[in-house]
Amino acid sequence: MTDATSSPEAAGRTATSDPPLVRITGLRKSFDAVHALRGVDLTLAAGEVTALLGDNGAGKSTLVRCLTGVHPPDAGEIRFRGEPIKLHSPDEARRLGIETVYQTLGLIEDLQVWQNLYLNRELTAGFGPFQVLDKKSMISHSKEILSRLDVDVPNVRATVRRMSGGQRQSIAIARAANWGKTLVIMDEPTAALGVRETTAVEALIRRLRDSAVTVLLISHDMAQVLRVADTAYVLRRGQTVARRVVKDTTGDELVGLITGAIEGDTHG
């Protein structure tokens, strides 16, 4: 399995001679008689935001689960930095620097911000069996994480329950970005947010890209895709039907490709 160590690229872009961060070819996955993926091809360029589009049942969630080690694909290949990989668990994906922000966020409301940032990754101090939680370091590092990403949280000691929807989403993204050094997958990150909070989260996505973090964005919001994504892939009935450079397309074209009103023109 490939090493997850990342190297910074100028302006968050990889050199043209480097392989893409992730290349998926011919991915297939079935659950009994249900063919969730029928041959998906997708490329994630390092340091870019790629949108993954499609109606419910198009295969987006299954593709993400294959990419994060939840489900092994039945056929096809996933390459990470040019090397084929087989992920058997989410922990293996995390070791490659792949993190996911789900719609449920995975935050514990009665824990403080810093505790959520280090949930299941707590720092300890001491020797041998005499280990204690290094609360001071985790609080200090949490402040640095949020400051680096310009996340507007007034106090890392505040409980998540007291945070707004946008702040909670930003905390979840900051946690994923801190541990996911190479790829952060976001599932409808602004679906339940207002205009102001959506703007803040989109600004955070751009900052991740500028920091050379690759983002895979699942969104039904075509205006958002046009604002923040570099490339968009459309899935329909478990297949890749189109790839578009976002600056060269429109929301209407993307919607047409999703619904089938416009024929797809690619399988990779």
Side-chain angles (χ1 to χ4, degrees), residues 35-39 55 57-59 235-241 258-260:
H35 301 292
L37 301 179
R38 300 169 179 263
D55 274 337
L235 302 188
R236 197 188 313 144
R237 295 191 295 275
Q239 290 183 302
T240 304
V241 296
I258 291 169
T259 61

Side-chain angles (χ1 to χ4, degrees), residues 180-221:
K181 302 297 186 183
T182 55
L183 172 62
V184 175
I185 302 169
M186 299 185 192
D187 186 3
E188 301 287 353
T190 61
L193 302 182
V195 173
R196 182 176 179 180
E197 292 181 327
T198 294
T199 300
V201 170
E202 289 178 359
L204 178 53
I205 293 171
R206 294 188 189 96
R207 286 196 290 276
L208 293 183
R209 177 178 58 191
D210 293 342
S211 300
V213 175
T214 306
V215 176
L216 179 60
L217 172 68
I218 302 169
S219 179
H220 284 95
D221 185 342

